[in-house]
Amino acid sequence: MKVLALDSSGLVASVALVEDGAMGGTLLAEYSVNYKKTHSQTLLPMLDEIVKMTELSLETVDAIAVAAGPGSFTGLRIGSATAKGLGLALNKPLVAVPTLDALAFNLWGQEGLVCPLMDARREQVYTGIYEFQDGRFTCLVSPMAADIREIAGRLCAMKRDVTFLGDGVPVYGHKLTEVLLAELTAAGKKHWYAPAHVNRQRAGSVGALALQYIREGKTQTAAEHRPEYLRLSQAERERAEKDKKGNV
Protein backbone atom coordinates (compact mmCIF):
# COMPACT_ATOMS: atom_id res chain seq x y z
CA MET A 1 0.00 0.00 0.00
CA LYS A 2 1.31 3.45 -0.97
CA VAL A 3 0.16 6.74 0.55
CA LEU A 4 0.90 10.17 -0.87
CA ALA A 5 1.02 12.65 2.02
CA LEU A 6 0.77 16.45 2.06
CA ASP A 7 1.34 18.98 4.83
CA SER A 8 0.96 22.72 4.28
CA SER A 9 -0.62 23.50 7.65
CA GLY A 10 2.19 25.74 8.90
CA LEU A 11 5.31 27.50 7.66
CA VAL A 12 6.69 24.27 6.19
CA ALA A 13 5.44 22.77 2.92
CA SER A 14 6.04 19.03 2.77
CA VAL A 15 5.19 16.14 0.45
CA ALA A 16 6.02 12.47 1.04
CA LEU A 17 5.44 9.02 -0.38
CA VAL A 18 5.09 6.26 2.22
CA GLU A 19 4.74 2.53 1.63
CA ASP A 20 3.28 0.02 4.08
CA GLY A 21 5.19 -3.15 4.90
CA ALA A 22 6.93 -5.20 7.54
CA MET A 23 8.87 -3.52 10.35
CA GLY A 24 6.96 -0.23 10.16
CA GLY A 25 6.95 0.37 6.41
CA THR A 26 9.18 2.64 4.31
CA LEU A 27 9.47 6.35 3.60
CA LEU A 28 10.16 6.30 -0.16
CA ALA A 29 10.52 10.04 -0.65
CA GLU A 30 10.06 13.29 1.25
CA TYR A 31 10.46 16.88 0.10
CA SER A 32 10.13 19.74 2.59
CA VAL A 33 10.70 23.47 2.22
CA ASN A 34 10.67 26.08 4.98
CA TYR A 35 11.97 29.14 3.22
CA LYS A 36 10.06 32.32 2.37
CA LYS A 37 7.76 30.93 -0.30
CA THR A 38 4.01 30.47 -0.31
CA HIS A 39 2.57 26.98 -0.39
CA SER A 40 0.81 27.80 -3.64
CA GLN A 41 4.30 28.21 -5.15
CA THR A 42 5.87 25.10 -3.64
CA LEU A 43 3.41 22.27 -3.03
CA LEU A 44 2.63 21.16 -6.59
CA PRO A 45 6.22 21.51 -7.89
CA MET A 46 7.40 19.43 -4.93
CA LEU A 47 4.77 16.80 -5.67
CA ASP A 48 5.80 16.76 -9.32
CA GLU A 49 9.46 16.31 -8.36
CA ILE A 50 8.69 13.33 -6.12
CA VAL A 51 6.61 11.73 -8.87
CA LYS A 52 9.51 12.15 -11.32
CA MET A 53 12.26 10.99 -8.95
CA THR A 54 10.39 7.87 -7.82
CA GLU A 55 8.96 7.17 -11.29
CA LEU A 56 5.57 7.05 -9.61
CA SER A 57 2.32 6.54 -11.46
CA LEU A 58 -0.24 8.40 -9.36
CA GLU A 59 -2.85 5.79 -10.28
CA THR A 60 -0.91 3.27 -8.17
CA VAL A 61 -1.29 5.34 -5.00
CA ASP A 62 -3.84 3.82 -2.61
CA ALA A 63 -4.76 6.96 -0.66
CA ILE A 64 -4.04 10.66 -0.28
CA ALA A 65 -3.19 11.83 3.24
CA VAL A 66 -3.33 15.46 4.29
CA ALA A 67 -2.59 17.40 7.46
CA ALA A 68 -6.13 18.45 8.26
CA GLY A 69 -5.53 21.15 10.85
CA PRO A 70 -5.34 23.14 12.92
CA GLY A 71 -2.88 25.56 11.41
CA SER A 72 -2.61 28.42 8.96
CA PHE A 73 -6.02 29.05 7.39
CA THR A 74 -4.51 29.70 3.96
CA GLY A 75 -2.10 26.78 4.23
CA LEU A 76 -4.83 24.36 5.27
CA ARG A 77 -7.02 25.43 2.37
CA ILE A 78 -4.18 24.94 -0.12
CA GLY A 79 -3.39 21.48 1.26
CA SER A 80 -7.03 20.41 1.40
CA ALA A 81 -7.76 21.71 -2.10
CA THR A 82 -4.74 19.84 -3.47
CA ALA A 83 -5.69 16.61 -1.68
CA LYS A 84 -9.34 16.88 -2.74
CA GLY A 85 -8.33 17.53 -6.34
CA LEU A 86 -6.06 14.49 -6.40
CA GLY A 87 -8.67 12.34 -4.68
CA LEU A 88 -11.37 13.31 -7.15
CA ALA A 89 -9.14 12.98 -10.22
CA LEU A 90 -7.71 9.61 -9.18
CA ASN A 91 -10.83 8.31 -7.40
CA LYS A 92 -8.80 7.65 -4.25
CA PRO A 93 -9.81 7.93 -0.58
CA LEU A 94 -8.49 10.72 1.61
CA VAL A 95 -7.02 10.33 5.08
CA ALA A 96 -7.35 13.43 7.28
CA VAL A 97 -4.54 13.44 9.85
CA PRO A 98 -4.69 16.04 12.65
CA THR A 99 -1.72 18.36 12.25
CA LEU A 100 -0.68 18.21 15.90
CA ASP A 101 -0.89 14.41 15.95
CA ALA A 102 1.47 14.21 12.99
CA LEU A 103 3.83 16.79 14.49
CA ALA A 104 4.04 14.87 17.77
CA PHE A 105 4.55 11.64 15.81
CA ASN A 106 7.89 13.06 14.63
CA LEU A 107 9.21 12.09 18.07
CA TRP A 108 8.01 8.47 18.02
CA GLY A 109 9.38 6.61 21.03
CA GLN A 110 10.31 9.74 22.98
CA GLU A 111 10.16 9.25 26.74
CA GLY A 112 7.96 11.54 28.80
CA LEU A 113 5.40 13.87 27.31
CA VAL A 114 5.47 15.40 23.84
CA CYS A 115 3.92 18.85 23.41
CA PRO A 116 3.71 20.35 19.89
CA LEU A 117 3.24 24.13 19.76
CA MET A 118 2.08 25.97 16.65
CA ASP A 119 1.94 29.75 16.71
CA ALA A 120 -1.73 30.79 16.49
CA ARG A 121 -0.95 34.50 17.08
CA ARG A 122 -2.55 36.73 19.71
CA GLU A 123 -0.63 35.00 22.51
CA GLN A 124 -2.20 31.65 21.62
CA VAL A 125 -0.88 28.35 20.36
CA TYR A 126 -2.41 25.30 18.75
CA THR A 127 -1.31 22.50 21.01
CA GLY A 128 -1.98 19.11 22.58
CA ILE A 129 -0.17 16.68 24.86
CA TYR A 130 0.95 13.22 23.76
CA GLU A 131 2.95 10.25 24.96
CA PHE A 132 4.44 7.03 23.61
CA GLN A 133 3.94 4.09 25.91
CA ASP A 134 4.67 0.44 25.13
CA GLY A 135 4.83 1.25 21.42
CA ARG A 136 1.49 3.05 21.45
CA PHE A 137 0.92 6.67 20.47
CA THR A 138 -1.61 8.28 22.79
CA CYS A 139 -3.20 11.73 22.86
CA LEU A 140 -3.61 12.84 26.50
CA VAL A 141 -4.93 16.36 25.78
CA SER A 142 -6.80 16.81 22.51
CA PRO A 143 -5.76 19.48 19.99
CA MET A 144 -6.90 22.92 21.08
CA ALA A 145 -6.23 26.63 20.74
CA ALA A 146 -4.95 27.88 24.10
CA ASP A 147 -3.02 30.63 25.83
CA ILE A 148 0.60 29.59 26.26
CA ARG A 149 0.26 29.97 30.04
CA GLU A 150 -2.68 27.56 30.06
CA ILE A 151 -0.76 24.73 28.44
CA ALA A 152 2.26 25.48 30.63
CA GLY A 153 0.01 25.23 33.70
CA ARG A 154 -1.35 21.87 32.56
CA LEU A 155 2.15 20.51 32.05
CA CYS A 156 3.28 21.73 35.45
CA ALA A 157 0.30 19.97 37.03
CA MET A 158 1.24 16.71 35.26
CA LYS A 159 4.78 16.84 36.72
CA ARG A 160 6.48 14.83 33.98
CA ASP A 161 9.42 15.33 31.65
CA VAL A 162 8.30 17.02 28.42
CA THR A 163 9.73 17.71 24.96
CA PHE A 164 8.47 20.65 22.89
CA LEU A 165 8.49 21.11 19.13
CA GLY A 166 6.82 23.26 16.48
CA ASP A 167 7.02 26.82 15.17
CA GLY A 168 5.53 28.12 18.42
CA VAL A 169 8.69 27.22 20.34
CA PRO A 170 10.89 30.12 19.14
CA VAL A 171 7.95 32.52 19.65
CA TYR A 172 6.92 31.42 23.14
CA GLY A 173 9.91 29.43 24.39
CA HIS A 174 11.03 32.16 26.78
CA LYS A 175 7.60 32.23 28.44
CA LEU A 176 7.63 28.45 28.74
CA THR A 177 11.02 28.62 30.41
CA GLU A 178 9.79 31.25 32.87
CA VAL A 179 6.79 29.16 33.90
CA LEU A 180 8.16 25.65 33.61
CA LEU A 181 11.76 25.82 34.69
CA ALA A 182 11.19 26.51 38.38
CA GLU A 183 8.14 24.26 38.84
CA LEU A 184 9.40 21.26 36.89
CA THR A 185 12.88 21.51 38.36
CA ALA A 186 11.37 21.61 41.84
CA ALA A 187 9.47 18.42 40.96
CA GLY A 188 12.67 16.79 39.69
CA LYS A 189 11.49 16.92 36.04
CA LYS A 190 13.07 18.30 32.88
CA HIS A 191 11.98 19.85 29.59
CA TRP A 192 13.69 19.81 26.21
CA TYR A 193 13.26 21.27 22.72
CA ALA A 194 13.37 18.92 19.72
CA PRO A 195 16.32 19.32 17.28
CA ALA A 196 16.08 20.86 13.83
CA HIS A 197 15.45 17.71 11.78
CA VAL A 198 12.24 16.79 13.67
CA ASN A 199 10.91 20.04 15.13
CA ARG A 200 8.61 21.10 12.26
CA GLN A 201 5.85 19.50 10.20
CA ARG A 202 6.88 16.54 8.03
CA ALA A 203 4.66 14.87 5.46
CA GLY A 204 6.46 11.63 6.25
CA SER A 205 4.81 11.62 9.68
CA VAL A 206 1.43 12.42 8.11
CA GLY A 207 1.87 9.42 5.80
CA ALA A 208 3.03 7.08 8.57
CA LEU A 209 0.00 7.93 10.71
CA ALA A 210 -2.25 7.62 7.67
CA LEU A 211 -1.18 4.00 7.24
CA GLN A 212 -2.43 3.32 10.76
CA TYR A 213 -5.68 5.19 10.10
CA ILE A 214 -6.31 3.19 6.93
CA ARG A 215 -5.93 -0.07 8.85
CA GLU A 216 -8.50 1.29 11.33
CA GLY A 217 -10.92 2.27 8.54
CA LYS A 218 -10.49 6.02 9.11
CA THR A 219 -10.78 7.25 5.53
CA GLN A 220 -13.15 9.63 3.76
CA THR A 221 -14.05 10.62 0.25
CA ALA A 222 -12.61 13.73 -1.34
CA ALA A 223 -16.08 15.29 -1.27
CA GLU A 224 -16.39 14.69 2.48
CA HIS A 225 -13.08 16.22 3.47
CA ARG A 226 -13.01 19.52 5.37
CA PRO A 227 -10.06 21.07 7.22
CA GLU A 228 -10.28 21.50 11.00
CA TYR A 229 -9.56 25.11 11.95
CA LEU A 230 -10.36 24.89 15.71
CA ARG A 231 -11.25 28.57 15.81
CA LEU A 232 -12.72 31.31 13.64
CA SER A 233 -10.51 33.21 11.23
CA GLN A 234 -9.51 36.79 12.12
CA ALA A 235 -12.02 38.20 9.61
CA GLU A 236 -14.80 36.05 11.11
CA ARG A 237 -13.86 37.10 14.65
CA GLU A 238 -13.83 40.79 13.70
CA ARG A 239 -17.19 40.46 11.97
CA ALA A 240 -18.68 38.70 14.99
CA GLU A 241 -17.34 41.44 17.28
CA LYS A 242 -18.79 44.12 15.01
CA ASP A 243 -22.19 42.37 14.95
CA LYS A 244 -22.09 42.05 18.72
CA LYS A 245 -21.46 45.78 19.16
CA GLY A 246 -24.18 46.58 16.65
CA ASN A 247 -26.70 44.57 18.65
CA VAL A 248 -25.91 46.31 21.94
Side-chain angles (χ1 to χ4, degrees):
M1 179 183 293
K2 288 191 180 75
V3 173
L4 181 65
L6 312 170
D7 194 331
S8 58
S9 58
L11 298 176
V12 177
S14 187
V15 180
L17 182 64
V18 178
E19 186 173 54
D20 199 7
M23 307 296 180
T26 304
L27 176 62
L28 299 177
E30 186 176 41
Y31 191 163
S32 298
V33 172
N34 181 21
Y35 188 76
K36 300 177 183 179
K37 289 187 180 292
T38 65
H39 297 327
S40 59
Q41 292 175 294
T42 57
L43 204 60
L44 287 177
M46 290 160 59
L47 170 59
D48 186 54
E49 191 65 24
I50 280 183
V51 168
K52 289 177 181 177
M53 292 297 291
T54 61
E55 300 179 346
L56 174 70
S57 170
L58 286 173
E59 288 76 13
T60 65
V61 168
D62 295 285
I64 312 296
V66 61
S72 157
F73 283 73
T74 301
L76 288 175
R77 289 179 182 126
I78 290 170
S80 289
T82 304
K84 286 168 74 74
L86 288 168
L88 288 169
L90 300 170
N91 193 27
K92 303 292 182 179
L94 264 59
V95 185
V97 177
T99 302
L100 292 162
D101 290 20
L103 190 52
F105 205 67
N106 285 1
L107 300 183
W108 195 95
Q110 177 73 21
E111 294 185 4
L113 302 175
V114 175
C115 184
L117 300 171
M118 295 176 65
D119 184 14
R121 308 295 175 87
R122 297 191 174 192
E123 296 295 308
Q124 285 199 325
V125 290
Y126 296 122
T127 187
I129 301 175
Y130 301 81
E131 70 172 350
F132 297 89
Q133 199 168 62
D134 299 325
R136 290 175 298 163
F137 176 54
T138 305
C139 179
L140 302 177
V141 175
S142 298
M144 62 180 179
D147 185 278
I148 189 65
R149 294 173 185 83
E150 178 184 345
I151 193 65
R154 288 199 183 204
L155 290 165
C156 286
M158 297 172 83
K159 291 183 171 59
R160 293 179 60 186
D161 294 340
V162 56
T163 303
F164 295 98
L165 71 163
D167 60 42
V169 169
V171 180
Y172 300 107
H174 63 290
K175 292 186 178 180
L176 284 170
T177 300
E178 289 172 7
V179 175
L180 288 170
L181 190 58
E183 291 202 36
L184 288 184
T185 300
K189 302 302 177 182
K190 300 177 181 178
H191 68 286
W192 300 276
Y193 300 102
H197 65 296
V198 288
N199 69 9
R200 294 293 190 274
Q201 285 91 334
R202 293 185 58 180
S205 291
V206 174
L209 264 179
L211 290 173
Q212 291 189 20
Y213 287 7
I214 291 169
R215 288 192 288 269
E216 296 167 4
K218 297 178 181 178
T219 63
Q220 57 188 190
T221 67
E224 291 171 331
H225 175 69
R226 297 288 185 278
E228 176 56 68
Y229 298 114
L230 280 190
R231 68 177 190 178
L232 298 174
S233 68
Q234 182 175 342
E236 290 170 321
R237 292 196 300 270
E238 290 175 351
R239 186 172 63 233
E241 187 64 28
K242 186 181 295 184
D243 292 343
K244 182 179 178 181
K245 289 179 180 178
N247 292 328
V248 173

